[in-house]
Amino acid sequence: MKFDLNWQKYKWCAVTLIVFGQRKRAVEMFEDMLRDYPHDSYALGSLAHLKAELGDKTGAIQIYQRLVTQPDAPIYAWFNLGFLQQELEHPVDAEFSFRRALELNPKLDQAWYGLGLALIQQNRLEEAIVALERNTKLQPMSPYAWYQLARVHVDRQQPEEATKIIQHLKGFEPKFARQLERETGLNG
């Protein structure tokens, strides 16, 4: 398909529209492209991304769901699908999507984080701890999983574990540490 001139025309027109800030017109271009190439992963992924960016998260989910049924579905499609599902508070669906992304790449740190959030939404805190700890091992300097991990320990009545995390965060992200101290009443 790379050498199909019609496909190339669609792609470059859509990219040009995006460069010039014409995202709604780019959506139309990708929709036209999908009429001629209904299973094109590039068009599906780009269209889903644009729909999410323009605020149509439900539409983006529908497009990502089409994309993940493709035999060559990229890992990012599962991750982005999970992210949108989690954001729209569909934690069971998000969990499935993040787990699928992790089957394809167990080192995808953001998928571990997303899985942790989906599990928190389902009040499955022990499992959330495991997912968040995997994220912190893969991304030790990112404060987000550490923050969520501390919150989960507080919810599980484990203030000593949360205090350890606050102390750890003070070493590289003092703003997050102070925020946790304010929110939890703990001193790290």
PDB file of all heavy atoms in Angstrom, residues 84-121:
ATOM      1  N   LEU A  84      -8.348   5.745  27.026  1.00  0.00           N
ATOM      2  CA  LEU A  84      -9.647   6.405  26.823  1.00  0.00           C
ATOM      3  C   LEU A  84     -10.749   5.717  27.624  1.00  0.00           C
ATOM      4  O   LEU A  84     -11.615   6.391  28.207  1.00  0.00           O
ATOM      5  CB  LEU A  84     -10.005   6.429  25.336  1.00  0.00           C
ATOM      6  CG  LEU A  84      -9.159   7.371  24.483  1.00  0.00           C
ATOM      7  CD1 LEU A  84      -9.383   7.092  23.007  1.00  0.00           C
ATOM      8  CD2 LEU A  84      -9.473   8.828  24.813  1.00  0.00           C
ATOM      9  N   GLN A  85     -10.731   4.405  27.673  1.00  0.00           N
ATOM     10  CA  GLN A  85     -11.739   3.679  28.449  1.00  0.00           C
ATOM     11  C   GLN A  85     -11.611   4.016  29.938  1.00  0.00           C
ATOM     12  O   GLN A  85     -12.618   4.228  30.619  1.00  0.00           O
ATOM     13  CB  GLN A  85     -11.586   2.167  28.232  1.00  0.00           C
ATOM     14  CG  GLN A  85     -11.979   1.730  26.837  1.00  0.00           C
ATOM     15  CD  GLN A  85     -11.507   0.333  26.499  1.00  0.00           C
ATOM     16  OE1 GLN A  85     -10.440  -0.106  26.941  1.00  0.00           O
ATOM     17  NE2 GLN A  85     -12.297  -0.370  25.690  1.00  0.00           N
ATOM     18  N   GLN A  86     -10.394   4.093  30.413  1.00  0.00           N
ATOM     19  CA  GLN A  86     -10.164   4.438  31.824  1.00  0.00           C
ATOM     20  C   GLN A  86     -10.632   5.864  32.090  1.00  0.00           C
ATOM     21  O   GLN A  86     -11.283   6.135  33.077  1.00  0.00           O
ATOM     22  CB  GLN A  86      -8.677   4.257  32.152  1.00  0.00           C
ATOM     23  CG  GLN A  86      -8.331   4.355  33.615  1.00  0.00           C
ATOM     24  CD  GLN A  86      -8.008   5.763  34.036  1.00  0.00           C
ATOM     25  OE1 GLN A  86      -7.402   6.530  33.307  1.00  0.00           O
ATOM     26  NE2 GLN A  86      -8.429   6.107  35.221  1.00  0.00           N
ATOM     27  N   GLU A  87     -10.319   6.763  31.167  1.00  0.00           N
ATOM     28  CA  GLU A  87     -10.717   8.159  31.312  1.00  0.00           C
ATOM     29  C   GLU A  87     -12.236   8.323  31.337  1.00  0.00           C
ATOM     30  O   GLU A  87     -12.763   9.176  32.052  1.00  0.00           O
ATOM     31  CB  GLU A  87     -10.118   8.975  30.158  1.00  0.00           C
ATOM     32  CG  GLU A  87     -10.076  10.452  30.421  1.00  0.00           C
ATOM     33  CD  GLU A  87      -9.312  11.170  29.335  1.00  0.00           C
ATOM     34  OE1 GLU A  87      -9.930  11.489  28.292  1.00  0.00           O
ATOM     35  OE2 GLU A  87      -8.109  11.407  29.526  1.00  0.00           O
ATOM     36  N   LEU A  88     -12.936   7.507  30.561  1.00  0.00           N
ATOM     37  CA  LEU A  88     -14.402   7.567  30.530  1.00  0.00           C
ATOM     38  C   LEU A  88     -15.042   6.669  31.586  1.00  0.00           C
ATOM     39  O   LEU A  88     -16.242   6.419  31.551  1.00  0.00           O
ATOM     40  CB  LEU A  88     -14.926   7.215  29.136  1.00  0.00           C
ATOM     41  CG  LEU A  88     -14.604   8.226  28.040  1.00  0.00           C
ATOM     42  CD1 LEU A  88     -15.157   7.763  26.702  1.00  0.00           C
ATOM     43  CD2 LEU A  88     -15.132   9.609  28.381  1.00  0.00           C
ATOM     44  N   GLU A  89     -14.199   6.186  32.498  1.00  0.00           N
ATOM     45  CA  GLU A  89     -14.635   5.386  33.644  1.00  0.00           C
ATOM     46  C   GLU A  89     -15.306   4.074  33.227  1.00  0.00           C
ATOM     47  O   GLU A  89     -16.370   3.711  33.717  1.00  0.00           O
ATOM     48  CB  GLU A  89     -15.494   6.212  34.596  1.00  0.00           C
ATOM     49  CG  GLU A  89     -14.710   7.382  35.177  1.00  0.00           C
ATOM     50  CD  GLU A  89     -15.458   8.144  36.247  1.00  0.00           C
ATOM     51  OE1 GLU A  89     -16.459   7.631  36.762  1.00  0.00           O
ATOM     52  OE2 GLU A  89     -15.011   9.257  36.561  1.00  0.00           O
ATOM     53  N   HIS A  90     -14.626   3.379  32.338  1.00  0.00           N
ATOM     54  CA  HIS A  90     -14.974   2.013  31.957  1.00  0.00           C
ATOM     55  C   HIS A  90     -13.803   1.125  32.380  1.00  0.00           C
ATOM     56  O   HIS A  90     -13.062   0.611  31.534  1.00  0.00           O
ATOM     57  CB  HIS A  90     -15.220   1.901  30.448  1.00  0.00           C
ATOM     58  CG  HIS A  90     -16.301   2.787  29.935  1.00  0.00           C
ATOM     59  ND1 HIS A  90     -17.635   2.540  30.188  1.00  0.00           N
ATOM     60  CD2 HIS A  90     -16.256   3.921  29.201  1.00  0.00           C
ATOM     61  CE1 HIS A  90     -18.356   3.494  29.617  1.00  0.00           C
ATOM     62  NE2 HIS A  90     -17.546   4.342  29.016  1.00  0.00           N
ATOM     63  N   PRO A  91     -13.619   0.959  33.708  1.00  0.00           N
ATOM     64  CA  PRO A  91     -12.390   0.316  34.192  1.00  0.00           C
ATOM     65  C   PRO A  91     -12.221  -1.146  33.792  1.00  0.00           C
ATOM     66  O   PRO A  91     -11.095  -1.599  33.597  1.00  0.00           O
ATOM     67  CB  PRO A  91     -12.475   0.467  35.708  1.00  0.00           C
ATOM     68  CG  PRO A  91     -13.929   0.640  36.008  1.00  0.00           C
ATOM     69  CD  PRO A  91     -14.500   1.357  34.804  1.00  0.00           C
ATOM     70  N   VAL A  92     -13.300  -1.889  33.641  1.00  0.00           N
ATOM     71  CA  VAL A  92     -13.173  -3.301  33.251  1.00  0.00           C
ATOM     72  C   VAL A  92     -12.653  -3.384  31.814  1.00  0.00           C
ATOM     73  O   VAL A  92     -11.740  -4.164  31.509  1.00  0.00           O
ATOM     74  CB  VAL A  92     -14.510  -4.054  33.432  1.00  0.00           C
ATOM     75  CG1 VAL A  92     -14.415  -5.465  32.885  1.00  0.00           C
ATOM     76  CG2 VAL A  92     -14.908  -4.069  34.902  1.00  0.00           C
ATOM     77  N   ASP A  93     -13.221  -2.569  30.933  1.00  0.00           N
ATOM     78  CA  ASP A  93     -12.749  -2.531  29.549  1.00  0.00           C
ATOM     79  C   ASP A  93     -11.305  -2.043  29.488  1.00  0.00           C
ATOM     80  O   ASP A  93     -10.491  -2.578  28.736  1.00  0.00           O
ATOM     81  CB  ASP A  93     -13.634  -1.618  28.697  1.00  0.00           C
ATOM     82  CG  ASP A  93     -15.058  -2.132  28.569  1.00  0.00           C
ATOM     83  OD1 ASP A  93     -15.272  -3.349  28.679  1.00  0.00           O
ATOM     84  OD2 ASP A  93     -15.965  -1.296  28.361  1.00  0.00           O
ATOM     85  N   ALA A  94     -10.987  -1.016  30.278  1.00  0.00           N
ATOM     86  CA  ALA A  94      -9.628  -0.477  30.305  1.00  0.00           C
ATOM     87  C   ALA A  94      -8.640  -1.537  30.781  1.00  0.00           C
ATOM     88  O   ALA A  94      -7.549  -1.691  30.210  1.00  0.00           O
ATOM     89  CB  ALA A  94      -9.564   0.754  31.198  1.00  0.00           C
ATOM     90  N   GLU A  95      -9.029  -2.267  31.805  1.00  0.00           N
ATOM     91  CA  GLU A  95      -8.150  -3.332  32.307  1.00  0.00           C
ATOM     92  C   GLU A  95      -7.835  -4.327  31.197  1.00  0.00           C
ATOM     93  O   GLU A  95      -6.676  -4.711  30.994  1.00  0.00           O
ATOM     94  CB  GLU A  95      -8.808  -4.061  33.485  1.00  0.00           C
ATOM     95  CG  GLU A  95      -7.983  -5.226  33.993  1.00  0.00           C
ATOM     96  CD  GLU A  95      -8.694  -6.083  35.026  1.00  0.00           C
ATOM     97  OE1 GLU A  95      -9.811  -5.742  35.465  1.00  0.00           O
ATOM     98  OE2 GLU A  95      -8.116  -7.131  35.386  1.00  0.00           O
ATOM     99  N   PHE A  96      -8.851  -4.747  30.463  1.00  0.00           N
ATOM    100  CA  PHE A  96      -8.638  -5.696  29.367  1.00  0.00           C
ATOM    101  C   PHE A  96      -7.669  -5.128  28.336  1.00  0.00           C
ATOM    102  O   PHE A  96      -6.738  -5.809  27.895  1.00  0.00           O
ATOM    103  CB  PHE A  96      -9.972  -6.062  28.701  1.00  0.00           C
ATOM    104  CG  PHE A  96      -9.793  -6.977  27.524  1.00  0.00           C
ATOM    105  CD1 PHE A  96      -9.661  -8.352  27.710  1.00  0.00           C
ATOM    106  CD2 PHE A  96      -9.732  -6.479  26.232  1.00  0.00           C
ATOM    107  CE1 PHE A  96      -9.479  -9.203  26.626  1.00  0.00           C
ATOM    108  CE2 PHE A  96      -9.540  -7.325  25.141  1.00  0.00           C
ATOM    109  CZ  PHE A  96      -9.417  -8.687  25.345  1.00  0.00           C
ATOM    110  N   SER A  97      -7.873  -3.870  27.952  1.00  0.00           N
ATOM    111  CA  SER A  97      -7.024  -3.255  26.924  1.00  0.00           C
ATOM    112  C   SER A  97      -5.584  -3.109  27.404  1.00  0.00           C
ATOM    113  O   SER A  97      -4.643  -3.407  26.653  1.00  0.00           O
ATOM    114  CB  SER A  97      -7.597  -1.889  26.527  1.00  0.00           C
ATOM    115  OG  SER A  97      -8.864  -2.059  25.932  1.00  0.00           O
ATOM    116  N   PHE A  98      -5.403  -2.663  28.642  1.00  0.00           N
ATOM    117  CA  PHE A  98      -4.035  -2.536  29.162  1.00  0.00           C
ATOM    118  C   PHE A  98      -3.364  -3.905  29.271  1.00  0.00           C
ATOM    119  O   PHE A  98      -2.188  -4.048  28.956  1.00  0.00           O
ATOM    120  CB  PHE A  98      -4.025  -1.831  30.517  1.00  0.00           C
ATOM    121  CG  PHE A  98      -4.308  -0.356  30.434  1.00  0.00           C
ATOM    122  CD1 PHE A  98      -5.293   0.211  31.234  1.00  0.00           C
ATOM    123  CD2 PHE A  98      -3.601   0.470  29.578  1.00  0.00           C
ATOM    124  CE1 PHE A  98      -5.559   1.567  31.176  1.00  0.00           C
ATOM    125  CE2 PHE A  98      -3.860   1.835  29.500  1.00  0.00           C
ATOM    126  CZ  PHE A  98      -4.842   2.384  30.305  1.00  0.00           C
ATOM    127  N   ARG A  99      -4.109  -4.895  29.715  1.00  0.00           N
ATOM    128  CA  ARG A  99      -3.519  -6.247  29.809  1.00  0.00           C
ATOM    129  C   ARG A  99      -3.126  -6.768  28.422  1.00  0.00           C
ATOM    130  O   ARG A  99      -2.092  -7.420  28.266  1.00  0.00           O
ATOM    131  CB  ARG A  99      -4.477  -7.202  30.508  1.00  0.00           C
ATOM    132  CG  ARG A  99      -4.575  -6.958  32.003  1.00  0.00           C
ATOM    133  CD  ARG A  99      -5.316  -8.081  32.713  1.00  0.00           C
ATOM    134  NE  ARG A  99      -5.604  -7.766  34.092  1.00  0.00           N
ATOM    135  CZ  ARG A  99      -4.731  -7.874  35.102  1.00  0.00           C
ATOM    136  NH1 ARG A  99      -3.494  -8.282  34.862  1.00  0.00           N
ATOM    137  NH2 ARG A  99      -5.096  -7.576  36.340  1.00  0.00           N
ATOM    138  N   ARG A 100      -3.928  -6.461  27.438  1.00  0.00           N
ATOM    139  CA  ARG A 100      -3.592  -6.887  26.065  1.00  0.00           C
ATOM    140  C   ARG A 100      -2.317  -6.181  25.594  1.00  0.00           C
ATOM    141  O   ARG A 100      -1.439  -6.808  24.993  1.00  0.00           O
ATOM    142  CB  ARG A 100      -4.764  -6.596  25.123  1.00  0.00           C
ATOM    143  CG  ARG A 100      -4.528  -7.066  23.724  1.00  0.00           C
ATOM    144  CD  ARG A 100      -4.469  -8.595  23.639  1.00  0.00           C
ATOM    145  NE  ARG A 100      -4.186  -8.974  22.277  1.00  0.00           N
ATOM    146  CZ  ARG A 100      -3.060  -9.588  21.887  1.00  0.00           C
ATOM    147  NH1 ARG A 100      -2.161  -9.948  22.762  1.00  0.00           N
ATOM    148  NH2 ARG A 100      -2.865  -9.866  20.624  1.00  0.00           N
ATOM    149  N   ALA A 101      -2.198  -4.897  25.869  1.00  0.00           N
ATOM    150  CA  ALA A 101      -0.976  -4.162  25.508  1.00  0.00           C
ATOM    151  C   ALA A 101       0.232  -4.770  26.210  1.00  0.00           C
ATOM    152  O   ALA A 101       1.304  -4.918  25.611  1.00  0.00           O
ATOM    153  CB  ALA A 101      -1.122  -2.683  25.870  1.00  0.00           C
ATOM    154  N   LEU A 102       0.052  -5.164  27.469  1.00  0.00           N
ATOM    155  CA  LEU A 102       1.158  -5.741  28.234  1.00  0.00           C
ATOM    156  C   LEU A 102       1.514  -7.144  27.766  1.00  0.00           C
ATOM    157  O   LEU A 102       2.669  -7.554  27.882  1.00  0.00           O
ATOM    158  CB  LEU A 102       0.834  -5.723  29.724  1.00  0.00           C
ATOM    159  CG  LEU A 102       0.843  -4.316  30.328  1.00  0.00           C
ATOM    160  CD1 LEU A 102       0.181  -4.306  31.692  1.00  0.00           C
ATOM    161  CD2 LEU A 102       2.262  -3.769  30.379  1.00  0.00           C
ATOM    162  N   GLU A 103       0.547  -7.876  27.227  1.00  0.00           N
ATOM    163  CA  GLU A 103       0.867  -9.177  26.627  1.00  0.00           C
ATOM    164  C   GLU A 103       1.803  -8.978  25.438  1.00  0.00           C
ATOM    165  O   GLU A 103       2.710  -9.773  25.212  1.00  0.00           O
ATOM    166  CB  GLU A 103      -0.402  -9.880  26.135  1.00  0.00           C
ATOM    167  CG  GLU A 103      -1.258 -10.482  27.214  1.00  0.00           C
ATOM    168  CD  GLU A 103      -2.572 -11.014  26.652  1.00  0.00           C
ATOM    169  OE1 GLU A 103      -2.686 -11.248  25.418  1.00  0.00           O
ATOM    170  OE2 GLU A 103      -3.509 -11.193  27.452  1.00  0.00           O
ATOM    171  N   LEU A 104       1.571  -7.906  24.698  1.00  0.00           N
ATOM    172  CA  LEU A 104       2.379  -7.623  23.516  1.00  0.00           C
ATOM    173  C   LEU A 104       3.731  -7.008  23.877  1.00  0.00           C
ATOM    174  O   LEU A 104       4.712  -7.203  23.161  1.00  0.00           O
ATOM    175  CB  LEU A 104       1.610  -6.700  22.567  1.00  0.00           C
ATOM    176  CG  LEU A 104       0.310  -7.287  22.030  1.00  0.00           C
ATOM    177  CD1 LEU A 104      -0.516  -6.229  21.327  1.00  0.00           C
ATOM    178  CD2 LEU A 104       0.601  -8.456  21.103  1.00  0.00           C
ATOM    179  N   ASN A 105       3.777  -6.254  24.978  1.00  0.00           N
ATOM    180  CA  ASN A 105       5.032  -5.643  25.435  1.00  0.00           C
ATOM    181  C   ASN A 105       4.981  -5.457  26.953  1.00  0.00           C
ATOM    182  O   ASN A 105       4.473  -4.445  27.436  1.00  0.00           O
ATOM    183  CB  ASN A 105       5.277  -4.305  24.753  1.00  0.00           C
ATOM    184  CG  ASN A 105       6.587  -3.672  25.185  1.00  0.00           C
ATOM    185  OD1 ASN A 105       7.323  -4.205  26.010  1.00  0.00           O
ATOM    186  ND2 ASN A 105       6.879  -2.516  24.626  1.00  0.00           N
ATOM    187  N   PRO A 106       5.515  -6.414  27.711  1.00  0.00           N
ATOM    188  CA  PRO A 106       5.457  -6.333  29.171  1.00  0.00           C
ATOM    189  C   PRO A 106       6.272  -5.184  29.769  1.00  0.00           C
ATOM    190  O   PRO A 106       6.144  -4.893  30.947  1.00  0.00           O
ATOM    191  CB  PRO A 106       6.023  -7.679  29.644  1.00  0.00           C
ATOM    192  CG  PRO A 106       6.296  -8.483  28.447  1.00  0.00           C
ATOM    193  CD  PRO A 106       6.096  -7.654  27.234  1.00  0.00           C
ATOM    194  N   LYS A 107       7.066  -4.523  28.960  1.00  0.00           N
ATOM    195  CA  LYS A 107       7.868  -3.397  29.452  1.00  0.00           C
ATOM    196  C   LYS A 107       7.226  -2.050  29.155  1.00  0.00           C
ATOM    197  O   LYS A 107       7.860  -1.010  29.331  1.00  0.00           O
ATOM    198  CB  LYS A 107       9.269  -3.457  28.858  1.00  0.00           C
ATOM    199  CG  LYS A 107      10.048  -4.662  29.365  1.00  0.00           C
ATOM    200  CD  LYS A 107      11.459  -4.657  28.870  1.00  0.00           C
ATOM    201  CE  LYS A 107      12.177  -5.872  29.444  1.00  0.00           C
ATOM    202  NZ  LYS A 107      13.576  -5.895  29.068  1.00  0.00           N
ATOM    203  N   LEU A 108       5.996  -2.057  28.751  1.00  0.00           N
ATOM    204  CA  LEU A 108       5.293  -0.807  28.447  1.00  0.00           C
ATOM    205  C   LEU A 108       4.847  -0.174  29.764  1.00  0.00           C
ATOM    206  O   LEU A 108       3.757  -0.459  30.274  1.00  0.00           O
ATOM    207  CB  LEU A 108       4.110  -1.083  27.518  1.00  0.00           C
ATOM    208  CG  LEU A 108       3.372   0.118  26.955  1.00  0.00           C
ATOM    209  CD1 LEU A 108       4.303   1.035  26.184  1.00  0.00           C
ATOM    210  CD2 LEU A 108       2.243  -0.350  26.059  1.00  0.00           C
ATOM    211  N   ASP A 109       5.705   0.662  30.307  1.00  0.00           N
ATOM    212  CA  ASP A 109       5.485   1.197  31.658  1.00  0.00           C
ATOM    213  C   ASP A 109       4.158   1.941  31.789  1.00  0.00           C
ATOM    214  O   ASP A 109       3.486   1.823  32.807  1.00  0.00           O
ATOM    215  CB  ASP A 109       6.650   2.105  32.069  1.00  0.00           C
ATOM    216  CG  ASP A 109       6.856   3.264  31.130  1.00  0.00           C
ATOM    217  OD1 ASP A 109       7.386   3.048  30.014  1.00  0.00           O
ATOM    218  OD2 ASP A 109       6.511   4.401  31.488  1.00  0.00           O
ATOM    219  N   GLN A 110       3.768   2.697  30.784  1.00  0.00           N
ATOM    220  CA  GLN A 110       2.519   3.446  30.873  1.00  0.00           C
ATOM    221  C   GLN A 110       1.302   2.526  30.945  1.00  0.00           C
ATOM    222  O   GLN A 110       0.286   2.880  31.533  1.00  0.00           O
ATOM    223  CB  GLN A 110       2.389   4.407  29.699  1.00  0.00           C
ATOM    224  CG  GLN A 110       3.440   5.501  29.716  1.00  0.00           C
ATOM    225  CD  GLN A 110       3.405   6.316  28.442  1.00  0.00           C
ATOM    226  OE1 GLN A 110       3.151   5.804  27.361  1.00  0.00           O
ATOM    227  NE2 GLN A 110       3.654   7.602  28.575  1.00  0.00           N
ATOM    228  N   ALA A 111       1.401   1.358  30.330  1.00  0.00           N
ATOM    229  CA  ALA A 111       0.292   0.401  30.411  1.00  0.00           C
ATOM    230  C   ALA A 111       0.173  -0.160  31.827  1.00  0.00           C
ATOM    231  O   ALA A 111      -0.932  -0.403  32.309  1.00  0.00           O
ATOM    232  CB  ALA A 111       0.463  -0.714  29.390  1.00  0.00           C
ATOM    233  N   TRP A 112       1.312  -0.365  32.507  1.00  0.00           N
ATOM    234  CA  TRP A 112       1.256  -0.805  33.905  1.00  0.00           C
ATOM    235  C   TRP A 112       0.590   0.264  34.757  1.00  0.00           C
ATOM    236  O   TRP A 112      -0.220  -0.044  35.636  1.00  0.00           O
ATOM    237  CB  TRP A 112       2.661  -1.122  34.440  1.00  0.00           C
ATOM    238  CG  TRP A 112       3.206  -2.415  33.938  1.00  0.00           C
ATOM    239  CD1 TRP A 112       4.224  -2.593  33.050  1.00  0.00           C
ATOM    240  CD2 TRP A 112       2.746  -3.726  34.276  1.00  0.00           C
ATOM    241  NE1 TRP A 112       4.423  -3.930  32.817  1.00  0.00           N
ATOM    242  CE2 TRP A 112       3.541  -4.651  33.564  1.00  0.00           C
ATOM    243  CE3 TRP A 112       1.752  -4.211  35.119  1.00  0.00           C
ATOM    244  CZ2 TRP A 112       3.364  -6.026  33.668  1.00  0.00           C
ATOM    245  CZ3 TRP A 112       1.581  -5.586  35.220  1.00  0.00           C
ATOM    246  CH2 TRP A 112       2.371  -6.473  34.502  1.00  0.00           C
ATOM    247  N   TYR A 113       0.926   1.523  34.495  1.00  0.00           N
ATOM    248  CA  TYR A 113       0.302   2.626  35.239  1.00  0.00           C
ATOM    249  C   TYR A 113      -1.203   2.667  34.978  1.00  0.00           C
ATOM    250  O   TYR A 113      -2.004   2.741  35.903  1.00  0.00           O
ATOM    251  CB  TYR A 113       0.961   3.953  34.856  1.00  0.00           C
ATOM    252  CG  TYR A 113       0.366   5.140  35.555  1.00  0.00           C
ATOM    253  CD1 TYR A 113       0.586   5.345  36.910  1.00  0.00           C
ATOM    254  CD2 TYR A 113      -0.425   6.061  34.871  1.00  0.00           C
ATOM    255  CE1 TYR A 113       0.036   6.438  37.571  1.00  0.00           C
ATOM    256  CE2 TYR A 113      -0.967   7.150  35.520  1.00  0.00           C
ATOM    257  CZ  TYR A 113      -0.736   7.337  36.869  1.00  0.00           C
ATOM    258  OH  TYR A 113      -1.290   8.404  37.514  1.00  0.00           O
ATOM    259  N   GLY A 114      -1.583   2.595  33.706  1.00  0.00           N
ATOM    260  CA  GLY A 114      -3.006   2.602  33.358  1.00  0.00           C
ATOM    261  C   GLY A 114      -3.745   1.431  33.967  1.00  0.00           C
ATOM    262  O   GLY A 114      -4.871   1.584  34.469  1.00  0.00           O
ATOM    263  N   LEU A 115      -3.114   0.266  33.954  1.00  0.00           N
ATOM    264  CA  LEU A 115      -3.722  -0.912  34.582  1.00  0.00           C
ATOM    265  C   LEU A 115      -3.921  -0.657  36.070  1.00  0.00           C
ATOM    266  O   LEU A 115      -4.984  -0.977  36.625  1.00  0.00           O
ATOM    267  CB  LEU A 115      -2.839  -2.143  34.358  1.00  0.00           C
ATOM    268  CG  LEU A 115      -3.300  -3.434  35.034  1.00  0.00           C
ATOM    269  CD1 LEU A 115      -4.692  -3.846  34.552  1.00  0.00           C
ATOM    270  CD2 LEU A 115      -2.282  -4.547  34.784  1.00  0.00           C
ATOM    271  N   GLY A 116      -2.927  -0.054  36.719  1.00  0.00           N
ATOM    272  CA  GLY A 116      -3.067   0.280  38.142  1.00  0.00           C
ATOM    273  C   GLY A 116      -4.255   1.180  38.395  1.00  0.00           C
ATOM    274  O   GLY A 116      -5.047   0.956  39.319  1.00  0.00           O
ATOM    275  N   LEU A 117      -4.423   2.204  37.559  1.00  0.00           N
ATOM    276  CA  LEU A 117      -5.565   3.118  37.726  1.00  0.00           C
ATOM    277  C   LEU A 117      -6.896   2.396  37.511  1.00  0.00           C
ATOM    278  O   LEU A 117      -7.864   2.631  38.243  1.00  0.00           O
ATOM    279  CB  LEU A 117      -5.446   4.299  36.760  1.00  0.00           C
ATOM    280  CG  LEU A 117      -4.277   5.254  36.973  1.00  0.00           C
ATOM    281  CD1 LEU A 117      -4.290   6.350  35.909  1.00  0.00           C
ATOM    282  CD2 LEU A 117      -4.290   5.845  38.372  1.00  0.00           C
ATOM    283  N   ALA A 118      -6.947   1.533  36.489  1.00  0.00           N
ATOM    284  CA  ALA A 118      -8.181   0.777  36.229  1.00  0.00           C
ATOM    285  C   ALA A 118      -8.518  -0.136  37.407  1.00  0.00           C
ATOM    286  O   ALA A 118      -9.690  -0.276  37.779  1.00  0.00           O
ATOM    287  CB  ALA A 118      -8.048  -0.030  34.940  1.00  0.00           C
ATOM    288  N   LEU A 119      -7.503  -0.740  38.000  1.00  0.00           N
ATOM    289  CA  LEU A 119      -7.731  -1.616  39.154  1.00  0.00           C
ATOM    290  C   LEU A 119      -8.157  -0.811  40.383  1.00  0.00           C
ATOM    291  O   LEU A 119      -9.005  -1.260  41.159  1.00  0.00           O
ATOM    292  CB  LEU A 119      -6.472  -2.444  39.436  1.00  0.00           C
ATOM    293  CG  LEU A 119      -6.139  -3.477  38.356  1.00  0.00           C
ATOM    294  CD1 LEU A 119      -4.729  -4.018  38.541  1.00  0.00           C
ATOM    295  CD2 LEU A 119      -7.169  -4.594  38.337  1.00  0.00           C
ATOM    296  N   ILE A 120      -7.595   0.389  40.555  1.00  0.00           N
ATOM    297  CA  ILE A 120      -8.030   1.265  41.654  1.00  0.00           C
ATOM    298  C   ILE A 120      -9.506   1.602  41.484  1.00  0.00           C
ATOM    299  O   ILE A 120     -10.276   1.556  42.450  1.00  0.00           O
ATOM    300  CB  ILE A 120      -7.163   2.545  41.718  1.00  0.00           C
ATOM    301  CG1 ILE A 120      -5.753   2.213  42.201  1.00  0.00           C
ATOM    302  CG2 ILE A 120      -7.808   3.594  42.637  1.00  0.00           C
ATOM    303  CD1 ILE A 120      -4.753   3.355  42.037  1.00  0.00           C
ATOM    304  N   GLN A 121      -9.910   1.929  40.249  1.00  0.00           N
ATOM    305  CA  GLN A 121     -11.317   2.253  39.999  1.00  0.00           C
ATOM    306  C   GLN A 121     -12.233   1.088  40.359  1.00  0.00           C
ATOM    307  O   GLN A 121     -13.390   1.297  40.699  1.00  0.00           O
ATOM    308  CB  GLN A 121     -11.535   2.626  38.525  1.00  0.00           C
ATOM    309  CG  GLN A 121     -11.071   4.014  38.166  1.00  0.00           C
ATOM    310  CD  GLN A 121     -11.362   4.327  36.711  1.00  0.00           C
ATOM    311  OE1 GLN A 121     -11.089   3.533  35.817  1.00  0.00           O
ATOM    312  NE2 GLN A 121     -11.923   5.496  36.473  1.00  0.00           N
TER     313      GLN A 121
END
